[in-house]
Amino acid sequence: MKATAKAHPIQGLIKYHGMRDEELRLPYHDSISVCTAPSHTTTTAAFESDLAADRYVVDGEELTGRGAERIGNVVDHVRERSGIDARVRFESENDFPTNIGFGSSSSGFAAAAVALVEAAGLRMTLPEISAVARRGSSSAARAVTGAFSHLRTGLDDVDCRSERIETDLEDDLRIVAAEIPAFKHTEEAHREAAESHMFEARMAHIHGQIATMRHALRENDFERAFELAEHDSLSLAATTMTGPAGWVYWEPETLSVFEAVRELREDGVPVYFSTDTGASVYVNTTEAYVDRVEGAIADLGVGTRVWAVGGPATVLDERDALF
């Protein structure tokens, strides 16, 4: 009863903010994202009857406290569904920087859910597994179904699950990841989201944003989709900055990237910035312009990676197991 899985992290396009139920991680509203590849998390999970307690290791470090608790929420749900009464050995590795705004929790919990479900012998579709992954992180639901995906809000696992949105933009999108290492605290921001006076304003327009994004993706309209993602990043920041903690997560380098993107766009380059709850920036462009865009960001002295669109979470061969 051992399995290994791989998942790609997500870039939020229309981002969720705040949860109506923290235990089940049910978000207040829908969200849409795109997975970034080849960045990925690999996770091996095994149910072992001779273990005295669950053991969770991520990037070589054994987790305790809140990190272990969040993985335990997913593990306990899989145990309950499968009827397995055994402890879990769990190891996970990321091949990209974590906790700086590049969605590591999404790929981490997506790979965990797929590995655990496979190890438990459960037969579930990817949308069904997305509801399992959501118990660790709402964004992980979308990393399960991969590429461009839409997580619908709801009060149960039938409604609150992810589905993939088919679009030809999967082939042309290139993402220059501008690495700005500043540790983020996403969970704290979600916890206080509804206390911002800007939250109700965000809720009032988010449904229209979701509909517009879905239409733009189906029409393969790059400019419309990623202009909307850029504006949503600003809306999200307005909400986090006006919460009780006044949480500002951008750094001076973040603003420099924004300005470079706007200058490129004035010069005719199709390029838009996007941020999640972190200082790092996703710079979205097309294959034809990615080298020029990457060079402009690198000239700022900011570390860069170039990503394309990643697919759904997958089960790997036994030889890829981490233990």
Side-chain angles (χ1 to χ4, degrees):
M1 295 194 294
K2 181 169 83 170
T4 301
K6 179 176 80 171
H8 301 290
I10 62 97
Q11 171 195 173
L13 301 180
I14 305 297
K15 292 161 273 291
Y16 88 95
H17 191 48
M19 290 171 286
R20 66 177 73 244
D21 185 314
E22 288 194 21
E23 182 178 353
L24 296 177
R25 301 193 80 85
L26 300 172
Y28 281 111
H29 58 77
D30 291 16
S31 53
I32 294 175
S33 63
V34 60
C35 280
T36 58
S39 56
H40 66 273
T41 301
T42 302
T43 298
T44 299
F47 292 94
E48 299 182 359
S49 57
D50 58 345
L51 285 178
D54 295 329
R55 184 171 186 264
Y56 310 129
V57 176
V58 176
D59 290 333
E61 179 181 348
E62 186 162 1
L63 295 189
T64 58
R66 182 58 181 154
E69 181 183 336
R70 288 179 65 182
I71 296 174
N73 290 339
V74 181
V75 170
D76 289 343
H77 181 64
V78 172
R79 270 198 288 246
E80 181 181 350
R81 288 189 66 123
S82 63
I84 293 174
D85 186 23
R87 300 297 95 193
V88 164
R89 180 181 175 189
F90 176 103
E91 292 191 18
S92 185
E93 292 180 355
N94 298 287
D95 79 335
F96 63 100
T98 61
N99 286 316
I100 65 169
F102 284 147
S104 58
S105 64
S106 65
S107 55
F109 284 106
V114 171
L116 286 161
V117 165
E118 180 72 13
L122 296 171
R123 294 294 170 256
M124 302 173 67
T125 65
L126 288 177
E128 288 171 338
I129 297 174
S130 77
V132 177
R134 193 202 66 233
R135 284 166 165 77
S137 165
S138 291
S139 59
R142 288 174 272 122
V144 170
T145 50
F148 290 88
S149 283
H150 179 178
L151 174 63
R152 298 185 184 275
T153 190
L155 299 179
D156 53 51
D157 291 345
V158 174
D159 289 333
C160 193
R161 60 173 60 177
S162 178
E163 65 176 14
R164 185 162 168 172
I165 303 171
E166 299 296 335
T167 172
D168 291 344
L169 293 183
E170 290 182 16
D171 298 325
D172 199 30
L173 175 62
R174 295 295 181 271
I175 303 148
V176 177
E179 298 180 13
I180 301 170
F183 188 81
K184 65 186 183 70
H185 301 277
T186 304
E187 195 166 20
E188 295 175 21
H190 284 306
R191 188 172 293 118
E192 65 172 37
E195 298 180 60
S196 164
H197 69 274
M198 297 292 291
F199 183 72
E200 290 302 323
R202 181 168 173 80
M203 288 291 289
H205 79 254
I206 202 72
H207 304 296
Q209 301 283 80
I210 289 288
T212 302
M213 178 63 78
R214 285 184 65 94
H215 183 68
L217 293 175
R218 293 197 184 282
E219 292 294 310
N220 308 313
D221 188 336
F222 175 87
E223 284 77 12
R224 192 179 188 198
F226 287 97
E227 180 182 37
L228 188 57
E230 182 173 298
H231 287 176
D232 186 69
S233 299
L234 300 175
S235 170
L236 177 69
T239 307
T240 60
M241 287 191 290
T242 52
W247 190 48
V248 178
Y249 51 84
W250 291 342
E251 296 289 331
E253 295 89 342
T254 307
L255 302 181
S256 296
V257 173
F258 291 176
E259 186 61 27
V261 167
R262 286 171 168 160
E263 289 176 0
L264 285 166
R265 200 157 63 224
E266 289 174 0
D267 202 28
V269 177
V271 60
Y272 299 87
F273 65 78
S274 176
T275 61
D276 287 336
T277 45
S280 296
V281 186
Y282 300 97
V283 182
N284 297 296
T285 188
T286 61
E287 185 178 17
Y289 289 91
V290 67
D291 290 340
R292 181 176 174 184
V293 171
E294 193 276 335
I297 302 305
D299 285 346
L300 300 174
V302 175
T304 61
R305 297 171 184 243
V306 175
W307 291 332
V309 175
T314 56
V315 176
L316 301 180
D317 191 87
E318 289 182 6
R319 63 176 175 267
D320 297 310
L322 299 180
F323 59 86

